[in-house]
Amino acid sequence: MASRWRRRRMCVLHADAPAPAALETVSGRGATVRSNAQPACGSTVKLVHPAAGEIVAEVHAISETGIELSFAGDEDSVGFALSAVAADMTRSS
């Protein structure tokens, strides 16, 4: 989902404690964020986006590209992803 129109929106990742997170990719099935937070794989976290709201996710993997989160893949997940992408597309520079 990286393209020239999409800017990374700063979010808050609530794991053990709230931490800033840059939203790298997002879809109805999950997201990748960069953060200094170090949640354990399999743990439940909350991702708060300034325009899309908040979503509960499971930490699927931690890699060099970031923390991979899995969403439920339901209507709420798709709505969160669409809102996040739309907000990034319309954000003023």
Side-chain angles (χ1 to χ4, degrees):
M1 176 111 4
S3 71
R4 59 190 150 86
W5 54 260
R6 187 168 185 284
R7 295 169 181 84
R8 285 180 288 204
R9 182 69 65 130
M10 288 307 294
C11 300
V12 177
L13 182 66
H14 292 266
D16 293 330
L23 184 61
E24 296 284 329
T25 64
V26 64
S27 74
R29 307 282 267 148
T32 303
V33 298
R34 288 197 180 265
S35 177
N36 290 332
Q38 297 181 345
C41 283
S43 65
T44 300
V45 298
K46 180 171 62 172
L47 181 63
V48 180
H49 186 280
E54 60 184 55
I55 190 164
V56 174
E58 181 179 322
V59 178
H60 178 74
I62 299 173
S63 68
E64 293 143 12
T65 58
I67 302 167
E68 297 176 24
L69 304 175
S70 295
F71 302 152
D74 57 11
E75 284 180 8
D76 291 337
S77 302
V78 172
F80 178 87
L82 288 172
S83 294
V85 170
D88 290 354
M89 291 174 67
T90 58
R91 186 174 102 181
S92 61
S93 299

